[in-house]
Amino acid sequence: AQSVTQLDSQVPVFEEAPVELRCNYSSSVSVYLFWYVQYPNQGLQLLLKYLSGSTLVKGINGFEAEFNKSQTSFHLRKPSVHISDTAEYFCAVRVGFQKLVFGTGTRLLVSP
Amino acid sequence: DAGVIQSPRHEVTEMGQEVTLRCKPISGHDYLFWYRQTMMRGLELLIYFNNNVPIDDSGMPEDRFSAKMPNASFSTLKIQPSEPRDSAVYFCASSLRGHYEQYFGPGTRLTVT
């Protein structure tokens, strides 16, 4: 079964520093991958998605992710984070026709 | 667009009581998903519907949980009787066939004492 692994449960970073949140997926054909963000006391919001085409995907709020088939990775990056980026980030993979399976989440803590 | 609407946002109930959570998906979306989020187990898919028909309920923890979707604009998740271990945040999400990304509601925080 397809799955995703988020390697870091928590990532502390200083404001304006770059950040990378790691996600690895189990290998399969037709991989569709997603990153979601969850701010405190809110639902999940789609940041970006990879369905096909260019391996560099740009999303909202300055985030981007790169699909790497050889390393089965889909890491999320931002060149300069803000305090407001403090949130939980979830990687997800499509399984079956319309289902998503989510990773365990990575808590990004941005401090001044 | 109003997005996915869930009610109530918070529910506190005593063990043994019946709890009903409600969801209105985004208009036009034909898939609806119910998730549960806890610290211990993360985000779990409980059940999902396509065109109001339950497709996969393998994530429903036990017979105390039931979900219905009487029409395209409304779904309920019922727990009867509730237990303290049911305390969690329950999310509803919807999606459009072929578009894969899911849109989440704000969630219902359930506390069972």
Side-chain angles (χ1 to χ4, degrees):
Chain A
Q2 294 209 53
S3 64
V4 290
T5 301
Q6 293 185 244
L7 300 167
D8 306 298
S9 60
Q10 188 166 294
V11 173
V13 64
F14 288 109
E15 192 174 20
E16 297 184 7
V19 71
E20 178 180 84
L21 305 183
R22 298 181 293 169
C23 173
N24 286 91
Y25 64 91
S26 60
S27 179
S28 180
V29 297
S30 300
V31 177
Y32 293 359
L33 294 159
F34 305 81
W35 275 100
Y36 281 80
V37 60
Q38 184 180 27
Y39 299 105
N41 300 313
Q42 295 187 27
L44 279 70
Q45 178 183 359
L46 181 69
L47 269 179
L48 50 82
K49 61 185 178 184
Y50 171 79
L51 304 182
S52 64
S54 172
T55 57
L56 184 63
V57 181
K58 294 190 181 297
I60 62 171
N61 301 340
F63 284 93
E64 63 181 31
E66 185 161 16
F67 173 67
N68 188 319
K69 190 173 182 179
S70 63
Q71 298 187 5
T72 62
S73 68
F74 189 56
H75 300 334
L76 182 70
R77 303 185 180 100
K78 186 170 183 177
S80 175
V81 295
H82 303 287
I83 296 286
S84 59
D85 292 323
T86 294
E88 185 117 22
Y89 292 79
F90 293 90
C91 183
V93 63
R94 186 192 72 141
V95 298
F97 185 69
Q98 203 85 1
K99 278 176 63 173
L100 298 180
V101 168
F102 289 84
T104 52
T106 297
R107 186 171 298 275
L108 177 64
L109 298 171
V110 183
S111 53
Chain B
D1 197 335
V4 176
I5 298 172
Q6 291 187 249
S7 64
R9 291 294 309 277
H10 302 273
E11 177 80 39
V12 180
T13 191
E14 292 184 348
M15 183 174 64
Q17 296 298 307
E18 176 181 301
V19 174
T20 300
L21 311 181
R22 297 172 176 79
C23 174
K24 176 179 170 55
I26 292 173
S27 177
H29 282 191
D30 47 3
Y31 283 82
L32 184 138
F33 305 81
W34 281 101
Y35 290 89
R36 179 173 67 177
Q37 186 178 40
T38 61
M39 289 292 292
M40 291 297 294
R41 301 175 67 91
L43 194 64
E44 304 173 275
L45 176 65
L46 300 178
I47 185 172
Y48 77 96
F49 296 82
N50 176 221
N51 290 327
N52 314 334
V53 176
I55 301 301
D56 183 351
D57 65 355
S58 60
M60 295 287 262
E62 48 197 274
D63 291 346
R64 297 185 297 107
F65 285 69
S66 62
K68 294 182 179 179
M69 193 164 184
N71 57 62
S73 58
F74 183 66
S75 177
T76 60
L77 178 68
K78 185 177 293 186
I79 308 172
Q80 180 184 19
S82 57
E83 296 182 3
R85 59 188 167 130
D86 301 330
S87 297
V89 181
Y90 291 81
F91 289 103
C92 176
S94 69
S95 70
L96 187 60
R97 181 183 178 90
H99 288 256
Y100 310 116
E101 61 266 34
Q102 296 176 15
Y103 295 85
F104 283 74
T108 295
R109 183 174 296 276
L110 173 65
T111 303
V112 183
T113 61

